[in-house]
Amino acid sequence: PAWIKETLNDKRAKMNPALPAIENPRYGYWAPYVTKVGNKYRMYYSIVVDEPIVGTDFTYSWSERAFIGLAESDDLATNVWVDKGMVVCSEPDGVKPYSYTGARNWENAYFKFNAIDPTMIITPEGEHHLIYGSWHSGIAALKLNPATGKPDKLETLTDYGTRIASRHPSSRWQASEGAEIIYNPDTQYYYLFLAYDGLDVPYNTRVCRSKSITGPFVGINGANVTNGADCWPMLTHPYGFNGHTGWVGFSHCSVFQNPDTKQWFYASQARLPKDVPGINASNALMMGHVREIQWTEDGWPVVAPERYAGVPATTITEASFIGSWEQITMNYQYGVIQKSMTIYLTADKKVSGGVTGTWSYDSTAKTLTVNGIKCKVSDAWDWESATRKVTLTYSGLTGAGVPIWGKKIN
């Protein structure tokens, strides 16, 4: 849109010292978010200006600001969108300079909030908030005017939003992005999902929650993520069941609920690992995954081990669990694929094989307890089996927020 170049150069002219206009900016496009408000569809889109702030060499300059804009449509099928202009942009706060020497150091990032990766929520009270940000300083919440879908003013830095999540309280090197936010009326919490680390392999998903849209958002371990702390629990991580290369780059999610069945779902990108034989640039291809979310008794989401396939629900009894399983403990390791081990659940309620202990099943809550870890159970589709078939899976969290995934194989 024409307003991006105009706004960019207007802001450059007002900098101290003033900077010359960029005549032919290069643009990059990222992570739009679409939602329905009344009878309109609103699309919040991200456009980055892929130019150095000064000079022509990124060795000595941070890249120019990013913009989040708004477009509206009456009907998605028409693909006709009316652009409504800027919602927010990356704005400097004067803490860091826009030029530097030596290796790029994210701790010296120039802009406070990086204006990409928007998501939006309407609170039970009817307030509209844009949640955005990536790497620079963390994730921000920006209150919007419901009628316009935009903030009422952008006059001072405080008008650009309030930080609601960060990995580090003072550093601008965050390694987090791709926020998603939902409100679960059953638990009465807001849940903030975050993508951590590099998106090619180590990408993993975290979640924290709050009673207030502006925080504080707190992890399962009680850590205050709004003030600055690593977020737990982790929900996804690079992993692999037997019979498959595994999936990596597995994060940057959208979370939504089926209004009829009330099921919750997690949708995200995922990639194959690097150098898969016979697949050129295997790790470069992003694929869409959709998985079911279930909720633990203490109100935390867990993501299903297998992609959703609409498998009909069956009557699950204690006898259903007796047999061989693959279990993955998703210990956090940067860029490492967590592989499954074989375990056995036997009729005497014992666990043997890769781990040992005991198990039990609560049929009312559809909860399998394996060595003290309560896991949500679901009918599933075994995507890794040479002849695909229905199976059972379980997904739970340790007390520290580490995911445990299981899949029955025999």
Side-chain angles (χ1 to χ4, degrees), residues 33-37 40-44 120 122:
Y33 179 84
V34 179
T35 190
K36 192 174 185 183
V37 178
K40 295 278 187 181
Y41 293 93
R42 285 181 174 168
M43 176 170 65
Y44 292 94
M120 183 267 201
I122 302 173

Side-chain angles (χ1 to χ4, degrees), residues 9 59 91 106 121 135-136 144-145 175 196 214 219 272 281 285 296 318 324 327-328 330 364 367 370 372 379 396:
N9 287 326
T59 305
E91 190 71 7
W106 283 102
I121 189 170
W135 289 73
H136 300 191
L144 306 174
N145 184 315
Y196 267 29
T214 54
L272 296 177
L285 183 63
T296 66
E318 285 189 348
S324 305
Q327 179 173 288
I328 304 175
M330 300 281 194
T364 303
T367 298
V370 181
D379 295 282

Side-chain angles (χ1 to χ4, degrees), residues 200-362:
D200 54 344
V201 173
Y203 235 16
N204 61 97
T205 306
R206 309 296 180 99
V207 67
C208 48
R209 68 186 186 185
S210 174
K211 290 289 187 178
S212 167
I213 185 64
T214 54
F217 282 86
V218 176
I220 198 170
N221 56 1
N224 188 319
V225 179
T226 295
N227 286 348
D230 262 339
C231 179
W232 292 91
M234 183 170 64
L235 300 181
T236 71
H237 185 281
Y239 80 97
F241 283 117
N242 289 337
H244 191 265
T245 61
W247 293 100
V248 302
F250 180 19
S251 192
H252 196 142
C253 66
S254 175
V255 177
F256 56 94
Q257 187 179 31
N258 183 322
D260 299 321
T261 66
K262 303 304 180 184
Q263 290 171 289
W264 287 91
F265 293 94
Y266 170 104
S268 77
Q269 65 148 309
R271 302 167 185 242
L272 296 177
K274 296 177 180 179
D275 303 321
V276 174
I279 302 178
N280 185 37
S282 57
N283 186 237
L285 183 63
M286 292 184 287
M287 292 180 248
H289 281 208
V290 178
R291 296 164 187 260
E292 188 174 4
I293 285 176
Q294 295 193 68
W295 299 86
T296 66
E297 64 182 20
D298 52 354
W300 290 99
V302 291
V303 173
E306 293 282 13
R307 286 170 284 160
Y308 184 74
V311 173
T314 63
T315 300
I316 300 173
T317 66
E318 285 189 348
S320 306
F321 296 97
I322 298 171
S324 305
W325 293 73
E326 289 180 32
Q327 179 173 288
I328 304 175
T329 300
M330 300 281 194
N331 292 313
Y332 172 64
Q333 291 180 280
Y334 189 93
V336 174
I337 298 174
Q338 296 294 347
K339 300 295 288 185
S340 61
M341 62 177 64
T342 302
I343 66 171
Y344 306 94
L345 304 188
T346 50
D348 58 359
K349 303 295 181 66
K350 297 292 178 60
V351 180
S352 60
V355 297
T356 59
T358 61
W359 67 274
S360 63
Y361 179 60
D362 180 345

